[in-house]
Amino acid sequence: NQLSPQATINFVKADFFDLRFLDRKFDGALLAFFISHLLEGTEGIFFTKLKQLLKPEAEILWVDGLWSDKRRQYREKAGFQKRMLNDGRAFNIFKQYFEETDVRKMLLRYSFKLKSFYAGDVFFAALAVM
């Protein structure tokens, strides 16, 4: 599939979990480095809400951190990590990394079918259809 030159791209700046409604449904969504920060139990809420915003047969492109030999040298697969901003502020954030089997299972759990999967050294891209 190619993006039509007449396609409309909408950027919505909001707290996803606070979105009450939008006036339309979407053909697709880009999920970039977000799902890996959801605590257990929150992912189900996320996917339920996401599916309410998408048209039938909508596609999603999920880009996130890959659990790999390179990543294994510096991080745990899941847990809290200290992150430092350029201005010196520090935060403890939850982060998890995914293997292809994790991605397949999660997509299947929420009724998405994996169409394509790319794995680099530290990130992956998964294209799936609802």
Side-chain angles (χ1 to χ4, degrees):
N1 290 347
Q2 289 187 354
L3 187 61
S4 163
Q6 292 81 27
T8 302
I9 298 174
N10 295 287
F11 292 94
V12 178
K13 183 178 179 181
D15 179 336
F16 183 84
F17 294 104
D18 263 352
L19 284 175
R20 300 289 181 237
F21 63 90
L22 290 173
D23 59 351
R24 56 182 286 222
K25 294 198 179 250
F26 298 91
D27 297 312
L30 170 63
L31 316 172
F33 301 95
F34 180 74
I35 295 173
S36 58
H37 293 286
L38 296 177
L39 294 170
E40 188 175 328
T42 313
E43 92 187 19
I45 297 166
F46 169 78
F47 275 101
T48 298
K49 190 167 203 85
L50 177 66
K51 287 167 50 174
Q52 292 170 353
L53 296 172
L54 297 175
K55 293 177 183 176
E57 302 299 314
E59 291 183 330
I60 61 169
L61 176 58
W62 176 13
V63 181
D64 221 320
L66 180 73
W67 184 242
S68 64
D69 290 337
K70 186 170 248 181
R71 182 82 69 190
R72 200 174 270 111
Q73 298 173 37
Y74 306 100
R75 303 282 187 194
E76 297 294 322
K77 187 172 183 196
F80 284 87
Q81 301 175 4
K82 186 174 186 177
R83 296 284 176 93
M84 186 84 71
L85 299 181
N86 291 339
D87 65 7
R89 290 180 294 157
F91 296 90
N92 285 317
I93 57 107
F94 178 77
K95 178 71 176 174
Q96 63 182 317
Y97 301 97
F98 301 94
E99 297 175 73
E100 182 177 354
T101 56
D102 301 325
V103 172
R104 286 182 180 280
K105 287 177 186 175
M106 187 178 296
L107 290 171
L108 185 62
R109 185 178 316 126
Y110 298 108
S111 305
F112 284 89
K113 180 183 175 191
L114 185 64
K115 291 176 63 176
S116 178
F117 187 86
Y118 166 82
D121 288 333
V122 295
F123 76 93
F124 70 87
L127 179 63
V129 64
M130 188 167 73

